[in-house]
Each structure stands twice: as C-alpha cells, then as structure tokens.
Amino acid sequence: QVQLVESGGGVVQPGRSLRLSCAASGFTFRSDDMHWVRQAPGKGLEWVAFIWSGGNYEYYEDSVKGRFTISRDNSKKKLYLEMNSLRVEDTAVYYCVRGMSGTGWAFDSWGQGTQVTVSS
Amino acid sequence: QSVLTQPPSVSGTPGQRVSISCSGSRSNIGSNTVNWYQQLPGTAPKLLIYRNNQRPSGVPDRFSGSKSDTSASLAISGLQSEDEADYYCAAWDDSLSGVTFGGGTRLTVL
C-alpha cells in the first residue's frame, strides 16, 4: 500500500534553514505529482508547494515563495522541502502528500507529518 | 482568513443528516472541482470526496458532495459517533495559482 514517511523536522531558530524529506513506497513515485501541506498548531490545513511528476514544474503558496524549494529524486523515490529564512509563523506539522492522478488537485495519500518548530 | 468559507462548527445526533457548506468565488469553486477531507483527532487528513461528488474506494456512501456555482456542500447521512472530526473543503484557485483550503468545520456528534 501507499506509504509516505516524512523526516527532518525539529526546532530551529528564526532565520535558519531546515530540509524535510519524504520517503515514498507502494506506488510508482515517478508518475505522480507531489505536494507539501502544513498545519499550524490548532489551525487548519494550508497547502505549501507542488511539484510535477517529472520534477520540472513547481507551484508555491505566496508566503513561502522565494524561501522554500520543493524538489524530488525519482530514482530514490524521495520528495524534499528546503526551507530557508524560517519564520515563527512557519511552525507547523508538515505533511507529504500525493496528488491523485487526473483529479484536479485532490490529495489521496498523506504521510503522518513531521513537526517543525521555529522559535528563538 | 481563508479564501473558502466554512462554518466553524456543526453538530447532530446519531442517525441524523448534517451538511457542511463551503463558499468560494469564481476563481476557485466557480472554475474548478472541489475536494473534501476528514481529519480525525490526532491523525493525518483523509480524502473523503474528490471532483465535487466522487468517493474514493472505502468511503461509505453516507458521505456525499455537491457543487453549485461558487459553493459546495458535504452531506453526511446516518450520522455516527466515529464521524466526529474536522472537515475541510479545498479547490485550486486560478487567481492564487495554488490550492486553497477552507478554514475547517468541526463536527460534533451529540
């Protein structure tokens, strides 16, 4: 079955960087679009970034543009989120998410999430 | 403040039918399909409805979705205690060039 396992979260000071990873298994990773979605403590869901299956097309939520970079290594079946210039408001659980093929941005598989805390 | 507007909370008794609304605009719901997610306490979200009214395999037919113009709705019939969760609508927004979620609705089964 589809499995997405995030890692790399932790506590970091404002202005510093962090790199999240997501290991995928149970499906043809190279064929599927992938996303990161986050959820701040006690808050709702917020879409963060998207990368096309081929890896050469990306979209970002406005507040992370220029600071976050989504990437993937299809040979390793891994998704990444490079987060720079982190802010307190980036504190959240970050979910690695698979885009459901042909559905117009439906997210059909979610990881368990990794906690990122930005605090001085 | 979310681009898609949902009521913060709804409630119902076991066996009852409840609905959750999601109001948007021409650039999101008016132009694109709507998806719904269920998030049980302490767990990752789960896809409940996609393309406005389609259920992934394994989702009971007690859950149904609909869309009209710039609004969408999730209905849950035969309410059960295990339906107590947060529910989110989402859609692509052409103006934002990104996916936007509603603020979420907490369903309480009384």
Side-chain angles (χ1 to χ4, degrees):
Chain A
Q1 73 279 20
V2 174
Q3 197 166 13
L4 300 167
V5 180
E6 303 94 338
S7 60
V11 180
V12 62
Q13 292 179 326
R16 304 299 289 263
S17 300
L18 207 58
R19 189 198 200 201
L20 305 183
S21 298
C22 170
S25 61
F27 65 102
T28 307
F29 181 73
R30 66 179 181 274
S31 298
D32 288 325
D33 301 335
M34 297 295 296
H35 303 255
W36 287 98
V37 174
R38 67 184 178 184
Q39 186 169 32
K43 302 295 184 183
L45 301 173
E46 181 181 43
W47 171 80
V48 174
F50 152 87
I51 187 166
W52 186 57
S53 57
N56 53 356
Y57 204 52
E58 302 153 30
Y59 284 115
Y60 295 93
E61 191 272 326
D62 280 348
S63 72
V64 308
K65 276 179 190 172
R67 300 188 301 123
F68 289 13
T69 302
I70 188 172
S71 62
R72 65 193 295 163
D73 186 332
N74 286 345
S75 66
K76 295 182 178 177
K77 298 183 183 178
K78 284 203 165 181
L79 178 72
Y80 304 101
L81 186 67
E82 185 75 37
M83 304 185 294
N84 299 318
S85 302
L86 281 162
R87 304 168 181 168
V88 171
E89 54 266 34
D90 294 319
T91 295
V93 173
Y94 284 73
Y95 293 102
C96 169
V97 178
R98 186 179 78 163
M100 189 179 189
S101 177
T103 60
W105 312 95
F107 306 144
D108 69 343
S109 298
W110 298 63
Q112 84 288 349
T114 187
Q115 176 70 49
V116 172
T117 303
V118 184
S119 173
S120 53
Chain B
Q1 193 162 347
S2 303
V3 172
L4 303 182
T5 302
Q6 297 180 234
S9 63
V10 297
S11 63
T13 56
Q16 202 174 19
R17 181 182 186 274
V18 297
S19 65
I20 298 171
S21 61
C22 176
S23 177
S25 65
R26 217 173 345 180
S27 66
N28 42 66
I29 294 178
S31 306
N32 300 288
T33 59
V34 178
N35 307 305
W36 289 91
Y37 301 89
Q38 176 193 58
Q39 187 174 31
L40 297 169
T43 70
K46 166 191 167 185
L47 180 64
L48 204 60
I49 296 287
Y50 66 97
R51 276 202 201 131
N52 305 325
N53 55 19
Q54 302 299 302
R55 281 185 308 276
S57 62
V59 174
D61 59 6
R62 302 187 296 106
F63 295 90
S64 62
S66 63
K67 181 185 118 167
S68 178
D69 294 329
T70 58
S71 291
S73 184
L74 172 71
I76 309 171
S77 60
L79 202 60
Q80 300 178 4
S81 58
E82 54 261 41
D83 297 334
E84 196 160 274
D86 293 326
Y87 293 84
Y88 295 90
C89 60
W92 177 262
D93 191 297
D94 294 336
S95 298
L96 299 175
S97 291
V99 175
T100 187
F101 283 94
T105 299
R106 176 150 297 176
L107 169 62
T108 302
V109 181
L110 301 169

